[in-house]
Amino acid sequence: MGDIDPAFIQSTEHRPIAKVVEVREIPVIDLSEGRKELLISEIGKACEEWGFFQVINHGVPFEISREVEIVSKKFFETSLEEKKKVKRDEFNAMGYHDGEHTKNVRDWKEVFDYLVENTAQVPSSHEPNDLDLRTLTNQWPQNSPHFRLCFIRETLQEYAREVEKLAYKLLELISQSLGLAADKFHGCFKNQLSMVRLNYYPACPFPDLALGVGRHKDSSALTVLAQDDVGGLQVKRKSDGEWIPVKPTPNAFIINVGDIVQVWSNDKYESVEHRVVVNTEKERFSIPFFFFPAHHVMVKPAEELVNEQNPARYREYKYGKFFANRNRSDFKKRDVENIQIHHFRILDEAFGLASSISSISEHN
């Protein structure tokens, strides 16, 4: 069987435990037309109780989802030499990568990332006084005996456009469930940083020591995830901290609230920890869409949800600087915790909130 690279080994308390958790399913919500008020209520409840839900009858054509699954498998089947032709680096975070770390432990996976808008501007660094911008650009796989370049690019871009439509629809429903206008946050996504990720989790001989992705929360507004029938995603249940497997539902997308919606909702909806377990027998593929705003957007609680009885629980932060800070950790293990939204919490004895405000929030 051989030895496992120590970089992949989770600390004892975070290793997956092989046990069956009997639980009612993560909510499955039907997005069919004609049930708007019920939809708003169902989504609000799911966001509050779980931070996760699945959607069916979502409008994304099955054919395009299937084509992207085929493209993804073909890409990861190519040689490492081919994949490294589109390998991302510290200057351009788009493309192939096989060395991601979560909580400073290496993930058992390979990824390919691409932007919805093909190029996007982000701050050159996380330093608050650095006003320079750099441009992220999509890298597309080269022509190879396995597939035609034009087919890959067209398929992936069409998929991104379809899932983006779904993300806007869900954001509107979530906004309305908070009592806000449906289009309250639409302007935040002009020149967005949204991206699609192709995930490949190889079979792992050490599923008791490693994770496909370690425990984490998403820094997006929303994440829209397609997964295959292998399964592996687990959600940390809010009520008791148990890790709950998300059973694959055919043709469904898994939706989770991200950090940005947690801040916008002033903690009414919580971004929930999740992780991916691996197994010894089957490889697994998944495709998350991360709904990110533009780099210049200031993230803060919606003013309509803030008053004397419910004061703002976060200082505003500039999303691009937050993104740049997170981006630094992609290529090396760090000695300090990655930037998190709790670093922007406002100290208030009534809430018992910890205060550890990063200088990013003070240099907007």
Side-chain angles (χ1 to χ4, degrees), residues 64 116 203:
I64 186 63
V116 171

Side-chain angles (χ1 to χ4, degrees), residues 234-249:
Q234 295 184 341
V235 175
K236 194 169 189 178
R237 186 162 53 190
K238 290 173 65 174
S239 60
D240 58 9
E242 283 280 2
W243 286 104
I244 306 302
V246 182
K247 184 180 177 182
T249 299

